[in-house]
Amino acid sequence: MTPTLLRTAAELHARVRAGRRAVVMTMGALHEGHATLIRTARRLAGPDGEVVVTVFVNPLQFGRGEDLDRYPRTLDADLKIAEEAGADAVFAPAVDEVYPGGEPQVRISAGPMGERLEGASRPGHFDGVLTVVAKLLHLTRPDVALYGQKDAQQLALIRRMVRDLNFGIEIVGVPTVREDDGLALSSRNRYLSAPERRTALALSAALFAGRDRHAAQEALRARAREVPATHARAEALSALGESRAAADAHAVAQAAPGGAGAVLAAARLVLDEAARLDPPLELDYLALVDPSDFTEIGDREDGFTGEAVLAVAARVGTTRLIDNLPLTFGTLGAAL
Ligand SMILES: Nc1ncnc2c1ncn2[C@@H]1O[C@H](COP(=O)(O)OP(=O)(O)OP(=O)(O)O)[C@@H](O)[C@H]1O
Ligand SMILES: CC(C)(CO)[C@@H](O)C(=O)[O-]
Ligand code: BAL
């Protein structure tokens, strides 16, 4: 069924709530990534609940010289995608409806986490994001709200805001949806020409190179833990086994370089190559960060263990893209 289109806060509030409400916030120009969020929301809301999708290009989160004016606005197509994915209502307010008195004087401050990575490149961006997210949460009053892992720093900040300011709403993160060749789906991909898209593939390719390096390291770490046990077993068996196990231990020790620095180096190699393509990739940042506060762990000692996010941002032509992958350091070895 075509979702009900709601244009005003009054229309939204007049709507009779049906069970558990799940909200997906977007800036429109919907694609399969958004559809996945909406389908997940449908599941979480349940058959008696409802899914509300918001479509609003928020001027507050765009810096001067960014793409606010050219950002794609495709409401008819968005309604169709929202319908197919199972939305009950689409809230698509005008700017005046969200900010009736002009830009708000009182805003949410994203704090130090909002000044790193994306926040360093786009000053004020996360204050604008959190301010509109807070407003949209108050307007839509969901039980649960869903956000994509593709915007990992945004997701972490929304979780933080909801916790720090007691919003009492469940926040659910949804893994990044990609094209078959790896490119993360993004509304801004439609700005890319064919040659630019080829260059843009380097973002995901770099992350995959980092992930592969990480997987190889983790396997070596696990092997290194296993070797003493192998050694003990071998010792009990025969002198020949013992010397084999010792050789194995030596080989693992030699082969286990690494940690965070090696993961970053593997990813950087791909980005460096892409910088020589035509059109070139212009790197903004590549960083390995702690997902709880987005501080860099790239420069910490090689023995880092725990959750991390490998994040990248780059420009191709006039289009700025971001991508990231979650990585876990050390648990494979720890589990053995
Ligand atoms: N490829 C994707 N996979 C999963 N979630 C996504 C993906 N792309 C966007 N989202 C999520 O959809 C929500 C709305 O995002 P938004 O409308 O800004 O789309 P976008 O494709 O990220 O656009 P942009 O190109 O402006 O970054 C956010 O929670 C975002 O993280
Ligand atoms: C969360 C959001 C809808 C706020 O404008 C936006 O930042 C987005 O689409 O990711
Ligand atoms: N998807 C994040 C919104 C923005 O880039 O402004």
Side-chain angles (χ1 to χ4, degrees):
M1 208 174 59
T2 312
T4 311
L5 178 60
L6 307 163
R7 289 299 208 165
T8 65
E11 285 170 14
L12 186 62
H13 290 148
R15 186 179 167 80
V16 179
R17 286 180 77 104
R20 192 169 153 79
R21 180 179 279 180
V23 164
V24 173
M25 294 179 190
T26 79
M27 302 206 303
L30 301 190
H31 50 63
E32 188 52 31
H34 300 115
T36 303
L37 261 72
I38 298 169
R39 282 194 292 271
T40 311
R42 180 75 270 159
R43 255 199 329 277
L44 295 179
D48 301 327
E50 62 176 6
V51 174
V52 178
V53 174
T54 70
V55 173
F56 180 63
V57 184
N58 173 37
L60 230 53
Q61 69 191 68
F62 287 78
R64 206 171 296 136
E66 290 188 358
D67 56 344
L68 173 62
D69 293 335
R70 77 161 171 155
Y71 199 86
R73 283 140 170 110
T74 59
L75 188 58
D76 288 342
D78 293 348
L79 287 169
K80 188 124 196 53
I81 292 173
E83 174 184 355
E84 282 162 10
D88 298 296
V90 170
F91 178 51
V95 173
D96 289 351
E97 184 66 21
V98 177
Y99 302 117
E103 290 205 349
Q105 291 187 26
V106 177
R107 301 178 188 210
I108 302 278
S109 162
M113 201 201 313
E115 288 164 14
R116 301 179 185 131
L117 300 197
E118 279 301 281
S121 299
R122 305 180 66 185
H125 170 65
F126 285 120
D127 291 0
V129 168
L130 292 187
T131 300
V132 83
V133 167
K135 281 178 74 88
L136 290 171
L137 288 175
H138 293 318
L139 286 163
T140 57
R141 298 180 198 158
D143 298 290
V144 55
L146 298 90
Y147 301 88
Q149 175 72 33
K150 200 221 21 144
D151 297 278
Q153 194 173 0
Q154 167 175 287
L155 172 59
L157 278 161
I158 292 170
R159 285 191 196 286
R160 190 76 214 205
M161 174 180 76
V162 163
R163 197 173 80 208
D164 285 355
L165 302 183
N166 301 89
F167 276 57
I169 293 165
E170 185 188 349
I171 301 298
V172 170
V174 176
T176 302
V177 180
R178 299 179 178 280
E179 304 273 13
D180 287 345
D181 59 9
L183 185 71
L185 293 181
S186 163
S187 303
R188 289 185 170 101
N189 289 352
R190 62 183 81 193
Y191 297 151
L192 299 170
S193 67
E196 285 174 343
R197 193 191 178 288
R198 274 196 293 280
T199 298
L201 262 184
L203 273 88
S204 53
L207 297 179
F208 297 155
R211 181 193 59 191
D212 292 348
R213 188 77 187 84
H214 167 264
Q217 268 176 203
E218 290 298 306
L220 282 169
R221 248 200 245 231
R223 188 84 187 97
R225 280 174 176 252
E226 215 176 65
V227 162
T230 313
H231 187 272
R233 274 200 305 276
E235 208 168 16
L237 281 171
S238 72
L240 178 62
E242 188 183 337
S243 66
R244 242 192 231 151
D248 195 11
H250 180 70
V252 167
Q254 291 290 301
V263 170
L264 281 167
R268 195 167 293 122
L269 215 60
V270 176
L271 297 166
D272 286 349
E273 265 175 39
R276 293 190 287 272
L277 293 176
D278 182 19
L281 179 130
E282 293 165 53
L283 183 63
D284 183 345
Y285 62 75
L286 169 72
L288 193 65
V289 295
D290 181 334
S292 68
D293 59 7
F294 275 72
T295 53
E296 297 214 26
I297 54 182
D299 298 331
R300 291 187 205 166
E301 78 288 357
D302 282 350
F304 172 78
T305 58
E307 302 296 323
V309 168
L310 183 60
V312 64
R315 197 173 290 279
V316 184
T318 56
T319 306
R320 186 174 180 281
L321 298 169
I322 61 172
D323 198 355
N324 71 86
L325 275 183
L327 299 174
T328 306
F329 283 79
T331 53
L332 190 56
L336 289 163

